[in-house]
Amino acid sequence: EQHINETLLQGFIADAIDDNCDTISARKMRALLALNELKNYALDKGYTRDEIKSFVTDKTEKARGKAEAAARLAELGAEQGKPETYCAIGEAEIAKDSLIGQLLRSDK
């Protein structure tokens, strides 16, 4: 399901920015709200609560999501060991008011 996968990917990207940039932090309440909205979307699409829980707790899916996030961040210019590259992406996403940006807060 494209919408579910893309929304989760954006969450993984926001999490990676939070982990790698000291001047940006995660908006945890907003992230929980987004996850709840996504869960409701999945339920409306016919997925069961057990299927949803299994998907979001599956270690293989989590690893895949993190790898996809790392690849997307690299495409955007992020470089491991260079926090400023993650910060620049995060600040740009916050300015765009994208879902990634909505999940982050600039501490500058």
Side-chain angles (χ1 to χ4, degrees):
E1 163 58 60
Q2 177 65 27
H3 175 72
I4 292 171
N5 287 325
E6 186 61 29
T7 302
L8 289 172
L9 174 61
Q10 291 179 43
F12 280 118
I13 291 170
D15 190 48
I17 291 169
D18 174 47
D19 289 345
N20 289 282
C21 175
D22 289 341
T23 60
I24 293 179
S25 58
R27 296 177 67 195
K28 295 184 191 303
M29 291 302 291
R30 175 64 181 113
L32 289 174
L33 178 62
L35 278 175
N36 193 49
E37 290 171 357
L38 190 59
K39 179 182 85 175
N40 288 335
Y41 173 86
L43 289 169
D44 288 345
K45 289 291 185 178
Y47 293 96
T48 67
R49 291 185 189 281
D50 286 341
E51 287 172 322
I52 295 166
K53 184 178 179 180
S54 293
F55 182 76
V56 298
T57 59
D58 184 87
K59 291 180 182 178
T60 302
E61 285 299 322
K62 198 173 281 190
R64 181 185 63 80
K66 287 183 177 191
E68 283 186 37
R72 179 83 59 92
L73 282 161
E75 289 173 8
L76 295 171
E79 297 179 44
Q80 282 294 328
K82 294 187 177 181
E84 67 276 7
T85 62
Y86 289 86
C87 295
I89 295 167
E91 292 291 346
E93 294 296 328
I94 292 168
K96 287 193 305 191
D97 198 32
S98 67
L99 177 56
I100 295 167
Q102 291 173 14
L103 297 173
L104 299 170
R105 172 185 305 109
S106 178
D107 298 330
K108 285 185 176 181

